[in-house]
Amino acid sequence: MKSRAILGLLADGQVHSGESLAASLGISRTAIWKQIRRAMDEGFRIETIRGRGYRLLTEVDLLDADRVIQGLDAHRRSVVDLTVLDEVDSTNAEIVRRRREVAAGTVPVCIADCQTAGRGRRGRQWQSPRGQNLYLSLGLTFQGSFAMLDGLSLVLGVALAEALEHQGLAGVGLKWPNDIFLGGSKLSGILVELQGELEEGVVQVVAGIGLNVHMKDGAGVDQSWSSLAMAAPERSWRRSDLAASVINSLLGATDEFAEDGFGSFRARWQSRDIFSGKSLVATQGELSGIGRGIDESGNYLIEGGNERVRVRAGEISLRVQQ
Ligand code: BTN
């Protein structure tokens, strides 16, 4: 977004004179006028008030790296290596590229204003319109084996749900293994990608979060979806604050998972299970039955007749039978 600097100054919705804008950016008033025109060409509505200046009429929620850092728990600020980008193919791909440059012990985090090739689970695309939603990825390192990934996937779902509840959102549900649902529609998805084994027993993963924030027009989204703006329009959601809250919660939860395993997450996941007691069918295969929550490792339990079948994350998708 070329007009980012001027929008940053106008984002408060107040009237700003050409002179004060020029002084703030260290450029001429003619250059300010050009920037105003460019912002209008990019689709932002800006009112010109004769003799007074300019006022932004479109609501903008710019990503602000300083605000994200300020929102982090104090003891995490030095651990997080944050990159905020205007545009990227995929924040998950960016973490893979950056990982080599990041000091050991730090967690690379990337947030982008838009993604040109956002990816979802099962090879799907993740629609990533500019300025609308949160696209955030973290590079995580664990001592252990690949077997821990099933549990991790659910842990991230719990952490994301708890972050949203911490922000005051009620009714957050989890659809196994880790989709975040609100009122029967998908609000957020998590893509966990294995980056590889650094050395024997040290596993690197990239966790990517897509959270619908301001989106009201989901052109190209192929499933029932919601956004924070649609679910709670009375709130003024800021992506930078949400990002900080999500990072805090995810890092807290993954530390706990690395220390103590999946144990405490089972009940936290189960209490938000949207499949519990519902008649389910697997999208591939013959399996169907009643949803009975997860076992101690995060496998989903389906009861049919007298038996309970365990379904492993990554093997199968479940949906409610119509
Ligand atoms: C899903 O299909 O539910 C997972 C969606 C994950 C989307 C996020 S957006 C940030 C990160 N970068 C990507 O390319 N994908 C994830």
Side-chain angles (χ1 to χ4, degrees):
M1 186 177 20
K2 296 211 169 74
S3 53
R4 189 183 168 82
I6 194 98
L7 290 174
L9 295 175
L10 294 174
D12 60 6
Q14 303 298 312
V15 180
H16 292 261
S17 69
E19 202 174 3
S20 70
L21 293 171
S24 300
L25 294 182
I27 56 179
S28 69
R29 288 179 62 175
T30 312
I32 287 292
W33 171 236
K34 281 189 188 153
Q35 290 214 18
I36 295 279
R37 289 293 301 269
R38 185 154 59 198
M40 290 164 83
D41 289 345
E42 285 173 0
F44 296 96
R45 288 171 49 234
I46 298 174
E47 182 184 17
T48 305
I49 307 168
R50 265 182 80 103
R52 289 187 61 206
Y54 307 100
R55 180 165 57 191
L56 183 64
L57 301 177
T58 315
E59 260 186 57
V60 289
D61 173 20
L62 298 174
L63 289 171
D64 179 346
D66 291 339
R67 194 171 171 113
V68 178
I69 298 286
Q70 283 313 310
L72 294 181
D73 297 334
H75 66 286
R76 301 210 187 280
R77 287 191 197 131
S78 58
V79 178
V80 168
D81 183 326
L82 176 68
T83 310
V84 177
L85 299 174
D86 193 35
E87 183 174 302
V88 73
D89 51 354
S90 151
T91 52
N92 269 32
E94 184 65 16
I95 290 293
V96 173
R97 289 190 288 266
R98 280 184 186 249
R99 202 135 197 188
R100 270 170 252 117
E101 303 155 17
V102 174
T106 35
V107 179
V109 178
C110 178
I111 309 173
D113 199 41
C114 79
Q115 298 184 116
T116 54
R119 47 202 202 217
R121 291 179 70 224
R122 303 181 179 282
R124 289 205 182 110
Q125 282 187 344
W126 187 259
Q127 298 298 328
S128 310
R130 177 177 295 287
Q132 296 291 297
N133 302 322
L134 185 64
Y135 317 113
L136 178 151
S137 299
L138 306 91
L140 302 167
T141 304
F142 295 95
Q143 313 288 324
S145 69
F146 296 147
M148 71 190 313
L149 294 178
D150 290 356
L152 174 67
S153 170
L154 277 76
V155 165
L156 296 173
V158 170
L160 184 50
E162 289 178 346
L164 292 168
E165 286 160 6
H166 192 68
Q167 291 287 314
L169 194 67
V172 179
L174 282 165
K175 174 176 169 250
W176 186 82
N178 60 14
D179 282 346
I180 303 287
F181 265 58
L182 203 60
S185 302
K186 183 160 167 172
L187 177 71
S188 177
I190 304 176
L191 177 66
V192 182
E193 294 182 297
L194 183 62
Q195 197 174 339
E197 209 171 354
L198 193 61
E199 55 195 67
E200 181 72 20
V202 182
V203 176
Q204 287 193 325
V205 298
V206 182
I209 317 292
L211 168 64
N212 298 333
V213 182
H214 301 296
M215 193 160 79
K216 294 205 173 115
D217 167 15
V221 182
D222 57 1
Q223 54 191 321
S224 170
W225 61 275
S226 186
S227 67
L228 293 175
M230 281 162 54
E234 70 288 355
R235 287 278 306 271
S236 134
W237 298 98
R238 288 197 63 168
R239 291 183 298 163
S240 301
D241 297 342
L242 288 163
S245 185
V246 166
I247 297 167
N248 283 332
S249 188
L250 260 59
L251 293 184
T254 51
D255 280 355
E256 193 182 334
F257 175 63
E259 294 246 317
D260 306 327
F262 188 67
S264 81
F265 290 95
R266 185 177 179 193
R268 285 148 79 183
W269 194 95
Q270 210 106 275
S271 63
R272 301 175 174 94
D273 178 12
I274 66 166
F275 280 163
S276 178
K278 298 255 164 61
S279 184
L280 304 177
V281 57
T283 46
Q284 316 86 335
E286 305 290 291
L287 192 61
S288 63
I290 306 296
R292 292 292 180 223
I294 53 173
D295 69 10
E296 61 293 340
S297 311
N299 301 308
Y300 203 81
L301 302 168
I302 298 187
E303 193 173 84
N306 288 333
E307 58 166 9
R308 281 192 173 190
V309 179
R310 284 167 204 257
V311 182
R312 240 194 101 195
E315 279 177 351
I316 223 165
S317 288
L318 296 172
R319 63 178 169 78
V320 175
Q321 199 158 27
Q322 301 298 328

